[in-house]
Structure formats: structure tokens, C-alpha cells
Amino acid sequence: MTQSTRELQVAFTSLLATPALSRAASPEIFHLVRRHQHRLAEWFDTRLGYRLVLSATTARLVRLASPTGVVSPAPFETVPRRALVLALLSAAVAEDADEITSTQELSDRVSVLSAREEVGVEAYDPDRFAERRTFVQGLGMLLRAGALVPLARRDEDAREGWAHQRDQVGGAYQVQREMLLRLVHPANLTAALRAGPHGPRTDGPGGHGPTDTAEHPARFGVMRRIVELPVCLVADLAPREQEYLAGQRPRIAQWCEEMTGWTLEHRREGVALVPDHEAGTDLPFPRPRARDFAALMVLGELVRAAPPAGSAAPVVSREDLLGAADRVRTTYPRAMTKDLAGTGAVADRSVELLVALDLLRPGPAPGSWHLMPAAARFRDPAVSVADPPRDEAQPRPENQSTLFDTEVFS
């Protein structure tokens, strides 16, 4: 692999993970994106139907909507709606703030803006601790997006101190106005894209028009699912997308390897792009923690108890889940940490994580779930228990299998 190829892959996967990049916040990645901007723009445009918008200081990957909806994994730890509202209000007021601003100044400005009747949101009350904590949470989203750059290392401690009214300033930030425009100014974005919401530009990247326009919807539907989701299942695809996947597997595999350097695994039920390291996913599993261990063990119990693979995913009832969780608790009592204590805690925490991983999906009745094909990857995990330095033993799951169980699902 050449250095240029590896740089392209790092830039591509970094934009998928962080679609809003600034030169100030991510100088190394931004440099790679700028260096390879034309190739990256072509990949995103012709293979995924996305847009890469660049300036001297910002890079913005825009995931344009498609007629079939948005393809993205559900967040495991969702951000409260109120935090999102306050983040948007903070972005709006930061655009008019001085180049250097602070948590306190932004809070004051949001308080004034939210009180205006035409804004149409519940007024922000900075005198309430809960509101200040939520405001700080929203502010953190702007910091991660690069719209604000902290001037000190311990800016998180300063914001926390401000929420508890121990710090009158709450940290100082440099406002990145161009990034703010990329995030919150629709007119600016539309002008930069010069495109409609449902497909690529007619001139294509570099001015050459694509010749297979009829193929775009199917291609984008398949490629987005492969790149964005844990698994692309055939059953989830529209008929035209199923035809495209069946007929273009070699080309799809070549594209995926070229763009990411990862492995595209093929099985009867579908395909999955498997990263070569944990940084390639937003939700690594299993991580070395009790919650992941419990979910892995519960999943193993459910897979073992499932009937042979058929045309439909097996259905798991609440009773099945509670029974599996009880067996895990009984077998590994010393692994049950505080958040796994209490009736139903292991089952509830496991469902939250397994649904986020798309290993379980809501079933036909309330309190039931479909056991998805990729769950067979985690069949019969080997577990070793080491003597820990503290009071509790920490089981360590070790999974040796491939994506799907080859005997059942291939």
C-alpha cells in the first residue's frame, strides 16, 4: 500500500466519523483532506451521493437525503432534545459574538435570543442548575464540531465549574465563524452545493457527467448501508438495490477496500464492512467492561436457544431475555457491577446495547425482539476470569468467530 493510498483512506474514514472538520481543531486530518480533495469528492459524489464542501479553513461532508430516507445508525447515547436546541441557539449567537467569547457570554446571549417570541422555543433560564448543565452539554457539541476552539486545556473543568456557579467565565473560546456557517446557514450550504436533495450534480466532480444515472438510487442505497451501518442485510434492501448488490459485488468490494482498507465480508444474508481496528466504528463491541460482558453473554444464550436459521429472524420474548439474563447473573455473580444490580438490570442494559448494535430489533409484539443474523458472530464466546487488583473479578470475553456463523448463515 502506498502512502498516498493510506492517506486517502484515513481522510475518507475520518470524514465519515467527523463530517465537520476545521483546520484549527484537526490540522493533520484537514491537511490530508485538502491534499486529496478531488479524489475524495469524486468518491463521495459518485459512490455515496454525498457532497464534500471545502474552504481554506473548513471541510464539511454533507450527507444528502435520499428518497428512501436517511441511512445512519441510531445513537447509543442520545443527546437530550433540549441540549440540541441550546446548541443551535449557541451557534446562532456565536456568529455575532466577538472573536474571543466565553461560556458566560454565550449563555447571556442565548437567554436573550430564546426569550424572543418569534424564536418559538422555551426560554432558556440560566438561573436553574439543570438548564446550565444542559447548556454546557450543548456547548460541548459545538466544541467537538470545531465551531468553538478552547483557549485553555482544562476547558471542560471550567464549563463544569460554571454550571455549578464556581466559575464566573466558564472558559474562553475562539469563534470559528466559517465552521458555524457550514453548520447552521442553509443558504450558504445550498449555494456551495448547487444541487438538489436527491442525487448527484449533473456535471459530476471535475465536470464529467456520470453515464449511469438510472443506477444512482440503487448504488447509493447499497453503498450507504455498507458504509454507515453495522451490516447491510439483503432483506432490508429494495428490489432494485438487491439486484444491484447481487450483480455488483466485485465492484462494491473493490470500492470498499480502496476507500477504507477494510474487509468486506459476504454472507447469504448480506455483507458487512469490517474495520481493522476499534477506531473504525462508533460503538466497538465487546469492550472490556462489565456492561459489554453481560450483553455478550446474554446474546450468546439467546443464539444458542434460537431455532435453526430460516427465512425470518427468530423472535425473542421478554421471558426468553429475562431467562438468559438470569443465567448470566447466576454463572458470573462477581461480574455484576452496580449498574447491573437489581431485577431486570442485566436484561435492560443488554437490550439497549444490542439494539444499538443492530443485533436485536423490535419484534412483532411489545417486549419482543428479532434476533438478527449477525448475532451468530458472537456464538459461544470464550470467557476467562483473571484475579483483579480490586475486589471484583472482571470477566474478559474473547470472540474468535467471523462476522456470521459460517455453518448456519453462509
Side-chain angles (χ1 to χ4, degrees):
M1 180 187 299
T2 65
Q3 181 178 351
S4 178
T5 298
R6 186 55 189 155
E7 287 179 355
L8 270 163
Q9 292 171 351
V10 170
F12 180 84
T13 55
S14 296
L15 282 167
L16 288 175
T18 310
L21 287 172
S22 72
R23 184 173 62 185
S26 306
E28 294 181 2
I29 299 300
F30 183 80
H31 174 70
L32 295 181
V33 171
R34 290 280 294 179
R35 175 183 295 177
H36 300 284
Q37 59 180 298
H38 298 297
R39 190 74 179 278
L40 290 168
E42 181 183 4
W43 283 357
F44 283 119
D45 189 16
T46 62
R47 300 177 183 184
L48 292 161
Y50 293 164
R51 298 291 175 271
L52 181 59
V53 184
L54 284 129
S55 71
T57 59
T58 64
R60 181 76 162 94
L61 178 64
V62 184
R63 289 171 162 92
L64 295 179
S66 70
T68 56
V70 177
V71 177
S72 64
F76 177 50
E77 297 176 346
T78 58
V79 178
R81 182 180 180 86
R82 183 63 172 171
L84 291 171
V85 170
L86 294 178
L88 290 172
L89 293 175
S90 299
V93 301
E95 189 177 344
D96 294 325
D98 294 333
E99 182 178 356
I100 303 299
T101 187
S102 68
T103 302
Q104 182 62 56
E105 181 186 359
L106 293 174
S107 175
D108 293 340
R109 287 175 174 266
V110 167
S111 180
V112 173
L113 177 61
S114 66
R116 295 170 59 176
E117 184 176 353
E118 63 269 25
V119 174
V121 301
E122 180 183 348
Y124 164 63
D125 182 4
D127 292 330
R128 293 175 52 217
F129 172 70
E131 281 278 78
R132 293 194 304 276
R133 286 294 300 271
T134 306
F135 176 81
V136 164
Q137 189 176 6
L139 210 59
M141 298 175 66
L142 297 184
L143 287 160
R144 290 189 293 273
L148 299 174
V149 177
L151 299 183
R153 290 184 177 180
R154 300 181 64 85
D155 66 289
E156 186 174 353
D157 292 340
R159 292 196 306 276
E160 187 69 20
W162 176 86
H164 286 85
Q165 295 187 328
R166 296 192 302 263
D167 188 326
Q168 294 182 351
V169 176
Y173 315 102
Q174 184 178 36
V175 179
Q176 303 293 310
R177 285 188 169 78
E178 182 145 1
M179 181 59 75
L180 284 170
L181 288 173
R182 297 296 184 203
L183 293 174
V184 302
H185 199 309
N188 177 279
L189 188 59
T190 301
L193 299 180
R194 302 192 309 277
H198 300 314
R201 296 183 299 272
T202 56
D203 59 346
H208 58 276
T211 59
D212 52 355
T213 305
E215 186 185 271
H216 287 148
R219 182 200 310 162
F220 296 158
V222 172
M223 291 300 297
R224 290 181 184 187
R225 286 184 176 276
I226 292 174
V227 169
E228 303 282 10
L229 302 179
V231 177
C232 174
L233 296 174
V234 173
D236 292 336
L237 300 175
R240 182 70 181 88
E241 294 171 337
Q242 293 179 5
E243 294 175 6
Y244 181 82
L245 176 61
Q248 299 294 331
R249 287 192 183 224
R251 179 166 72 158
I252 291 171
Q254 186 269 324
W255 280 352
C256 290
E257 182 177 354
E258 179 185 34
M259 294 186 300
T260 65
W262 303 338
T263 301
L264 187 69
E265 291 195 6
H266 299 262
R267 294 293 184 270
R268 185 185 64 185
E269 277 70 18
V271 297
L273 186 59
V274 182
D276 55 5
H277 51 81
E278 285 193 350
T281 177
D282 63 331
L283 190 56
F285 179 77
R287 286 172 286 182
R289 61 177 189 174
R291 182 175 187 172
D292 286 48
F293 161 78
L296 178 65
M297 294 296 99
V298 168
L299 183 64
E301 293 284 338
L302 296 176
V303 171
R304 281 193 295 273
S311 57
V315 175
V316 175
S317 68
R318 177 69 177 176
E319 290 72 22
D320 296 331
L321 180 69
L322 291 173
D326 186 62
R327 289 191 292 276
V328 171
R329 288 176 55 87
T330 302
T331 306
Y332 303 100
R334 298 176 62 193
M336 299 298 108
T337 53
K338 185 176 180 180
D339 65 323
L340 298 176
T343 304
V346 171
D348 293 340
R349 300 292 85 75
S350 297
V351 164
E352 291 172 359
L353 183 53
L354 296 176
V355 168
L357 292 163
D358 200 25
L359 298 173
L360 292 180
R361 291 185 185 179
S368 68
W369 298 270
H370 288 292
L371 185 63
M372 304 309 294
R377 173 185 175 88
F378 306 98
R379 178 190 297 274
D380 298 325
V383 179
S384 61
V385 181
D387 292 332
R390 288 179 287 192
D391 294 338
E392 291 188 87
Q394 296 295 322
R396 179 173 300 171
E398 298 175 358
N399 174 38
Q400 304 294 334
S401 59
T402 57
L403 175 65
F404 304 112
D405 182 87
T406 53
E407 294 182 359
V408 177
F409 292 102
S410 62

